[in-house]
Amino acid sequence: EVKGIAYNQLVNVIKKSEEMTKTNALMGHALRVKTNHFSGRGFTFDIKPAGSKGNVAPRFQKMIDDTENQRVIFSTTAMKNLNRILWNTGNLFALWNEKEKEFTLLSVDGSLDGDFIAYDDNPSRIKYYKRSYSIQNDLDANGKPKRVEEWIPVLEHKEKVGAKLPKTIKVGGQDDQKVSQDSVIIDLRVNKDEDDAWGVPDCFSAIPWAWASAEYIKDGSKLLKAYAAIAYQIKTKTEAGKKAAGAAIATGKIGGSAVTGVDTEISQVNKASAVDLYTGRPIQAMFASAVDLSVTSVTNDTGKGGAYGSEQVLTTPELMAALSRQEELGGFYARCFRAMGVAG
């Protein structure tokens, strides 16, 4: 038993966050702003193996420069994608295949189906994750693609057991299940408490406020449109005046003049304070707080009386959040290099 968010709850949250990041203006913009904060100027890897004054050995540089590894892990585009994964899922899993010398990203709600084996005395410290996938060109007796299921050790667990890594394990009284001998998983689970099994998406607490802000703007815009459809009101004191006014409006003439009697009055509808969309700014402030950004950064708007030049400066909380994410991903990359055999 583990505390924290359950796997099925996490999958539902991921589905919602991925959808809203694509369709909600606040969610999409906030992700891009945070990504640009921590990697907008690019990055370099300073790798010096222990006891060496030079850079990484050519064989390791070849692995780094590999087209697939660049696409998945080592390019600027890959760095942005890793941050997007943490934003939407809170759980980053990279599989290193020692035989193929290749990295693969595993999705928490896809090829990893939520099964894992943890240490008995520490449920949040994972030994193995279960990976499953289908071989499309290899069919079983029923004509369906064969299903492959295997347990992948986490990097630190394989380092600990070394040559004692079992080839198969029993789980829940089932038959022996295969343990991969050529692969390890480097995992990064963010925003979790010590005993939690799964990380939590960066945007998790911001989702309801992003939805609320969008609804507020949409509803306010509809109300503005409704008010705009009524430009003048006609007041009459008699029944005959009402009928005459109704007949005059039905003609649909625009920009003409009106002649009324003593019983009829035409006046412009006062819309000065009908709808003020800025009253929804506290909702946007709640969203901004949830993602460690300022309201100006999130909305590109300073609000009434603000000065964009002064407010566009990176605030201390935003800077600290960017540096914190740099440290987290720095540790993740250090483990990736360790899996490749680069010491230092």
Side-chain angles (χ1 to χ4, degrees), residues 30-297:
L31 170 60
R32 292 188 292 273
V33 168
K34 291 181 70 69
T35 299
N36 290 336
H37 279 178
F38 89 93
S39 66
R41 294 184 178 181
F43 57 91
T44 57
F45 296 112
D46 185 13
I47 313 163
K48 291 183 174 63
S52 172
K53 295 182 180 180
N55 288 324
V56 65
R59 68 180 184 278
F60 295 124
Q61 190 62 52
K62 184 178 179 181
M63 298 177 197
I64 295 172
D65 294 337
D66 176 80
T67 302
E68 185 63 14
N69 290 336
Q70 280 286 316
R71 186 187 71 82
V72 172
I73 295 290
F74 295 117
S75 65
T76 302
T77 301
M79 174 75 83
K80 292 180 179 180
N81 185 51
L82 298 185
N83 195 57
R84 188 183 188 93
I85 291 172
L86 293 176
W87 170 270
N88 281 322
T89 76
N91 296 271
L92 173 59
F93 300 97
L95 180 144
W96 168 251
N97 188 306
E98 174 62 30
K99 191 174 182 180
E100 301 293 336
K101 308 296 182 187
E102 191 172 273
F103 280 103
T104 303
L105 292 181
L106 306 178
S107 59
V108 66
D109 56 338
S111 49
L112 296 179
D113 56 8
D115 288 336
F116 62 86
I117 300 174
Y119 285 87
D120 293 333
D121 60 346
N122 189 348
S124 68
R125 186 182 174 193
I126 311 299
K127 294 180 181 179
Y128 303 93
Y129 289 100
K130 188 177 182 181
R131 182 194 186 194
S132 57
Y133 59 93
S134 298
I135 303 177
Q136 299 300 321
N137 59 353
D138 189 0
L139 305 181
D140 59 19
N142 297 320
K144 296 182 178 180
K146 284 187 177 179
R147 193 72 176 165
V148 176
E149 295 183 345
E150 60 181 349
W151 292 91
I152 313 293
V154 174
L155 170 65
E156 286 74 16
H157 181 65
K158 187 171 184 179
E159 289 176 335
K160 180 179 179 179
V161 301
K164 295 182 180 180
L165 185 72
K167 293 185 178 180
T168 61
I169 51 178
K170 280 183 176 294
V171 182
Q174 300 178 6
D175 295 335
D176 289 349
Q177 297 181 3
K178 176 184 175 184
V179 174
S180 174
Q181 303 297 303
D182 301 321
S183 301
V184 293
I185 284 179
I186 301 93
D187 60 346
L188 177 58
R189 296 166 289 159
V190 299
N191 307 315
K192 75 181 193 71
D193 293 323
E194 181 58 31
D195 293 332
D196 293 354
W198 301 105
V200 176
D202 288 342
C203 67
F204 183 46
S205 59
I207 289 175
W209 301 110
W211 178 86
S213 177
E215 290 298 299
Y216 184 89
I217 297 297
K218 286 190 291 185
D219 291 345
S221 298
K222 290 178 181 178
L223 193 55
L224 279 172
K225 183 177 181 181
Y227 283 148
I230 304 173
Y232 292 90
Q233 61 179 340
I234 301 176
K235 299 178 181 179
T236 64
K237 296 180 180 179
T238 64
E239 195 66 29
K242 292 179 182 179
K243 294 180 180 180
I249 293 173
T251 60
K253 293 182 179 180
I254 300 174
S257 59
V259 178
T260 66
V262 294
D263 293 335
T264 305
E265 176 187 348
I266 299 178
S267 61
Q268 188 173 4
V269 175
N270 182 14
K271 299 189 292 293
S273 301
V275 178
D276 183 2
L277 295 181
Y278 273 106
T279 57
R281 197 166 177 81
I283 300 176
Q284 297 167 346
M286 291 296 294
F287 173 87
S289 298
V291 296
D292 295 318
L293 291 173
S294 67
V295 185
T296 301
S297 295

Side-chain angles (χ1 to χ4, degrees), residues 38-39 79 83 86 188 190 319-335:
F38 89 93
S39 66
M79 174 75 83
N83 195 57
L86 293 176
L188 177 58
V190 299
L319 177 60
M320 293 299 103
L323 293 175
S324 176
R325 179 48 49 85
Q326 286 180 354
E327 291 178 357
E328 287 176 321
L329 282 176
F332 171 80
Y333 275 99
R335 294 167 64 207

Side-chain angles (χ1 to χ4, degrees), residues 299-342:
T299 62
N300 277 337
D301 178 62
T302 61
K304 293 181 178 180
Y308 188 76
S310 61
E311 293 192 22
Q312 67 179 342
V313 178
L314 194 63
T315 64
T316 299
E318 289 174 311
L319 177 60
M320 293 299 103
L323 293 175
S324 176
R325 179 48 49 85
Q326 286 180 354
E327 291 178 357
E328 287 176 321
L329 282 176
F332 171 80
Y333 275 99
R335 294 167 64 207
C336 288
F337 286 123
R338 209 166 72 230
M340 295 166 61
V342 183

